[in-house]
Amino acid sequence: MSGWGALPEAAPGSDVAVIGAGVVGLAVAYRLAGSGKRVVVVEKEKGPGTGVTAGQANVIHVVQLPFGSLKSKLARRGNHMYDDLCRELGVRLNRMPALLVVNRWLAVPVLLAAFAYVKLELGKEFRVSLMRGSSLRKAEPSLAMGVIGGLKVDGYGTVDVHELVSRLADASTARGVTFRFGCKVTSADAREEAVTLKTSCGEIRARVVVNAAGLYSDEVAAAFGVDLGKLEPGLGVMAVCSGLSLKCIVAPLPLGTGSRTKGGALIPATDGTTIVGPTLRVTQSKEDRAHTEEDLAQLTAKFGPLLKADWKAARVYAGTRPLSPTGDFIIDYRPQKRVVNLVGIESPGLTAAPAIAEMVERMIAGPGQ
Ligand SMILES: Cc1cc2nc3c(=O)[nH]c(=O)nc-3n(C[C@H](O)[C@H](O)[C@H](O)COP(=O)(O)OP(=O)(O)OC[C@H]3O[C@@H](n4cnc5c(N)ncnc54)[C@H](O)[C@@H]3O)c2cc1C
């Protein structure tokens, strides 16, 4: 099968069944419905956006290491798509720079190396500047005097993910998408013409299935007989501060080690609060959202020294990422099995969501279409 056509008008079923109504599944459904496909979204919970999407930090990112990875490329593309998407949906997008700062002279070589590297990799798409502490404090007056220098990277943003999810669901419905909430997909039978999904509320038939099941996408892929490795749950804890209002995202350099985390940040949320975090620790259960005093102490120790004034958490929450077995997004189309598996859509999956949708649309359209 080199591509796929829409089902004839009279045929039962949908052109595409999307499994999962997180931000990625919704972005896919919205995009495909926009190009005339009959789309059904199958979600095990009672409403959209209650999975990984519910427990994240709301940042539209620019810097994602390693720069050559698929997640970095899709985040950059997604970042550029957010202005139009948010305008279309009527969702607030607050654009702002990120300040990646150092507060120890010993870290200055790291700063200089980071500047050369980030400028080389991103400089054509986003403005990257090297700044002294005094200039950084003009951009972000809350920064501590101990901050001696940093990078200013333009092009970041924040959204309210709950607003985004609800507008995406409404706009998808307006484009004709059908939602089947409270329906858990338990198995799949792919035949020549279509796939039949067995769900807790009956069978659903579609020409192509997009597996956007977040933390469970590895298990849904296995139901199609596709082994893409096992996801590891990576718990992230975030604090919300109400008395702290920032103009820029602030993160300490060096960023998180390896490809698993960017190390968290101080994030000005769209409601005027500041999100601090997230942390990262591998946990045993995909449903784990528990946080401890130790998590909060870790956030205070890491981010406290970057600010002039002390901060206090008004609320603490946690989310769990589907850590990819390859360290990168896995976007895998099996035409014979009629399924696109989106596995390991860890951070920055919110940023990348519109670009993932664009990639899925191209993949299932096949060559020459
Ligand atoms: C702590 C933390 C902070 C983050 N911060 C950011 C950030 O600031 N910026 C950024 O870009 N990204 C961030 N991310 C990453 C981002 O949140 C995720 O990449 C994104 O939300 C993934 O969305 P999704 O739609 O793939 O998954 P989900 O939101 O989990 O959606 C999958 C859906 O599938 C459903 N489902 C699962 N199995 C089945 C089944 N068998 N049948 C039917 N339905 C099923 C689930 O109920 C769920 O609703 C963060 C993640 C975490 C955990």
Side-chain angles (χ1 to χ4, degrees):
M1 191 172 72
S2 62
W4 64 292
L7 277 176
E9 272 297 310
S14 302
D15 298 320
V16 184
V18 178
I19 304 174
V23 71
V24 174
L26 290 171
V28 170
Y30 177 67
R31 180 160 188 122
L32 294 179
S35 54
K37 300 289 179 281
R38 283 186 291 163
V39 181
V40 58
V41 177
V42 193
E43 166 57 57
K44 69 181 170 64
E45 301 299 334
K46 289 192 183 119
T50 65
V52 184
T53 300
Q56 48 77 54
N58 293 328
V59 178
I60 304 307
H61 283 282
V62 174
V63 176
Q64 172 63 58
L65 300 174
F67 286 118
S69 60
L70 180 61
K71 63 185 177 182
S72 178
K73 288 176 191 155
L74 290 175
R76 265 134 60 195
R77 172 76 185 135
N79 181 311
H80 292 304
M81 296 168 83
Y82 256 91
D83 295 277
D84 283 348
L85 180 66
C86 287
R87 204 172 303 118
E88 236 167 75
L89 297 173
V91 169
R92 276 170 301 166
L93 166 65
N94 286 355
R95 286 289 183 186
M96 65 192 71
L99 309 179
L100 313 181
V101 304
V102 297
N103 57 2
R104 290 174 304 124
W105 288 104
L106 274 177
V108 169
V110 173
L111 169 62
L112 297 176
F115 174 59
Y117 185 45
V118 174
K119 178 108 181 149
L120 178 75
E121 294 288 343
L122 296 180
K124 284 192 187 131
E125 277 181 82
F126 300 94
R127 195 161 56 179
V128 182
S129 330
L130 183 62
M131 292 168 77
R132 291 174 192 280
S134 52
S135 309
L136 290 169
R137 270 181 291 280
K138 276 193 193 128
E140 178 46 75
S142 304
L143 278 185
M145 291 308 288
V147 169
I148 52 184
L151 300 186
K152 178 166 168 270
V153 183
D154 287 340
Y156 276 79
T158 57
V159 290
D160 173 349
V161 84
H162 302 292
E163 186 184 27
L164 176 67
V165 158
S166 118
R167 298 276 166 86
L168 264 176
D170 288 350
S172 299
T173 305
R175 286 183 169 181
V177 173
T178 309
F179 285 91
R180 303 286 301 273
F181 290 117
C183 274
K184 180 174 178 178
V185 174
T186 51
S187 67
D189 181 17
R191 297 283 166 96
E192 184 101 350
E193 282 305 308
V195 184
T196 303
L197 295 175
K198 285 219 169 91
T199 82
S200 53
C201 43
E203 290 190 348
I204 291 171
R205 192 167 169 268
R207 289 291 292 270
V208 177
V209 172
V210 178
N211 163 16
L215 279 160
Y216 299 91
S217 53
D218 54 346
E219 297 168 35
V220 170
F224 279 85
V226 180
D227 180 4
L228 295 169
K230 286 247 167 289
L231 293 169
E232 251 185 324
L235 186 92
V237 177
M238 290 145 288
V240 181
C241 308
S242 46
L244 176 65
S245 182
L246 301 186
K247 295 180 167 162
C248 306
I249 292 170
V250 177
L253 278 177
L255 298 175
T257 48
S259 60
R260 292 196 140 184
T261 172
K262 291 171 283 305
L266 295 154
I267 302 155
T270 49
D271 63 0
T273 62
T274 298
I275 297 172
V276 185
T279 56
L280 170 64
R281 80 181 130 86
V282 173
T283 177
Q284 294 308 310
S285 158
K286 290 180 176 179
E287 293 305 312
D288 190 1
R289 304 287 185 276
H291 47 82
T292 63
E293 286 298 318
E294 251 173 64
D295 294 312
L296 193 55
Q298 197 184 323
L299 292 173
T300 309
K302 181 164 186 178
F303 297 103
L306 304 181
L307 293 171
K308 253 183 206 155
D310 287 343
W311 58 273
K312 209 165 174 313
R315 181 168 75 85
V316 181
Y317 69 105
T320 302
R321 317 154 173 91
L323 295 175
S324 167
T326 65
D328 202 353
F329 292 171
I330 301 171
I331 299 189
D332 178 279
Y333 179 33
R334 302 285 165 108
Q336 295 79 9
K337 294 184 186 274
R338 296 182 167 273
V339 62
V340 183
N341 288 298
L342 308 178
V343 174
I345 311 300
E346 47 188 43
S347 188
L350 165 68
T351 311
I356 294 173
E358 180 182 57
M359 184 172 174
V360 167
E361 184 179 49
R362 285 203 188 121
M363 271 177 151
I364 62 181
Q369 295 196 36

